[in-house]
């Protein structure tokens, strides 16, 4: 009869080898990254924003109060348990145990991403960006659910342009991170932040291109 202790040791060795092999994909440790900084990347817009910008977060979990405005998705640890991921953009380090750490709500990061490449503000036109959904999930890979809309109103509050984009479980490539998750947690979180903020920038470029860009360029 095979010694039970020997079998147990063999099981542990095989499990460790499995985790070592998974290090090339960086997925087993993804649940340890609880914050993504959406302040890394700005979209490449084809207009200089001179209109009033209003960003509204209408995600059901935010409207209901079930999640905080900084909520951006979920990560699943090695045991399959979901962990909320929050926005790390604008966080201030805690100086004492009585100081509450402050980070930007997700809609403020979207606002800053759009406004940063732009110019001044005028009263004649308004650009609305509505976040109906934005949620990432990572288990065997990083996936994104999104639903974004944009509206341009003229000075008489007539809608002159509007767009709407959405997608479900869209895969985002994170293969470039590699084994970094197992070696430097802070660097791994930074690399993930670059990936998700880049994904947001690309969606905003699509959302604010075409008719929206044309309407805003006509009134620069």
């Amino acid at each position: 009869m095979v010694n039970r202790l020997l079998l147990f040791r063999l099981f542990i060795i095989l499990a460790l080898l499995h985790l070592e092999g998974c290090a090339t994909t960086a997925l087993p440790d993804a649940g340890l990254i609880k914050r993504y900084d959406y302040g890394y990347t700005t979209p490449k817009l084809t207009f200089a924003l001179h209109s009033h910008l209003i960003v509204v977060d209408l995600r059901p979990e935010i409207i209901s109060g079930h999640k905080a405005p900084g909520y951006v998705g979920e990560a699943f640890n090695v045991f399959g348990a979901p962990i909320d991921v929050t926005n790390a953009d604008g966080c201030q380090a805690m100086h004492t145990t009585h100081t509450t750490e402050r980070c930007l709500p997700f809609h403020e990061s979207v606002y800053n991403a759009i406004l940063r490449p732009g110019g001044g503000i005028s009263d004649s036109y308004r650009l609305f960006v509505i976040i109906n959904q934005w949620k990432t999930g990572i288990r065997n890979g990083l996936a994104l659910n999104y639903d974004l809309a944009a509206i341009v109103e003229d000075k008489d509050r007539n809608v002159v342009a509007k767009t709407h984009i959405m997608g479900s479980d869209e895969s985002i490539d994170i293969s470039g991170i590699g084994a970094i998750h197992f070696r430097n947690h802070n660097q791994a979180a930074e690399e993930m932040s670059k990936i998700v903020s880049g994904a947001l920038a690309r969606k905003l470029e699509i959302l604010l291109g075409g008719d929206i860009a044309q309407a805003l360029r006509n009134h620069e």
Side-chain angles (χ1 to χ4, degrees):
M1 180 179 291
V2 180
N3 187 286
R4 289 186 178 181
L5 180 59
L6 180 60
L7 284 175
F8 178 75
R9 288 177 177 173
L10 181 60
F11 173 80
I12 295 298
I13 292 171
L14 289 173
L16 290 174
L17 288 174
H18 175 70
L19 286 177
E20 184 67 24
C22 289
T24 58
T25 63
L27 294 177
D29 200 43
L32 297 179
I33 301 177
K34 300 177 182 179
R35 289 182 177 165
Y36 300 154
D37 190 335
Y38 276 88
Y40 271 95
T41 311
T42 55
K44 297 177 182 178
L45 303 178
T46 60
F47 57 87
L49 184 64
H50 296 288
S51 59
H52 274 301
L53 172 63
I54 301 119
V55 179
V56 183
D57 192 343
L58 297 182
R59 291 179 290 171
E61 55 266 62
I62 306 303
I63 295 296
S64 66
H66 182 62
K67 301 291 185 182
Y71 172 78
V72 290
E74 292 178 337
F76 294 84
N77 62 21
V78 291
F79 303 105
I83 300 170
D84 281 2
V85 177
T86 56
N87 187 16
D89 188 11
C91 289
Q92 299 176 356
M94 294 175 63
H95 298 291
T96 71
T97 56
H98 302 290
T99 301
T100 301
E101 189 170 20
R102 298 181 182 275
C103 308
L104 293 180
F106 178 63
H107 74 272
E108 289 192 24
S109 290
V110 174
Y111 178 94
N112 289 339
I114 298 170
L115 192 64
R116 200 173 291 126
I121 301 294
S122 73
D123 289 329
S124 44
Y125 277 69
R126 298 195 298 180
L127 169 62
F128 291 88
V129 173
I130 300 98
I131 307 167
N132 295 307
Q133 187 55 272
W134 183 273
K135 179 180 178 181
T136 59
I138 185 163
R139 191 192 298 265
N140 296 319
L142 184 64
L144 170 65
N145 293 306
Y146 65 95
D147 185 332
L148 306 172
I151 299 170
V152 177
E153 288 186 350
D154 65 14
K155 60 183 179 180
D156 298 318
R157 303 304 177 241
N158 298 312
V159 174
V160 295
K162 59 182 178 180
T163 57
H164 178 215
I165 61 173
M166 62 185 300
S168 178
D169 293 327
E170 181 176 306
S171 178
I172 300 176
D173 182 19
I174 60 172
S175 60
I177 295 181
I180 197 171
H181 277 257
F182 287 86
R183 297 175 184 170
N184 187 323
H185 180 78
N186 290 332
Q187 190 175 357
E190 181 178 351
E191 292 301 318
M192 283 294 291
S193 296
K194 291 176 181 177
I195 288 172
V196 295
S197 62
L200 175 63
R202 289 190 295 274
K203 297 307 177 190
L204 291 176
E205 288 168 3
I206 296 171
L207 181 73
L208 302 177
D211 292 343
I212 297 290
Q214 187 61 50
L216 293 173
R217 283 197 299 267
N218 287 341
H219 302 281
E220 288 180 357

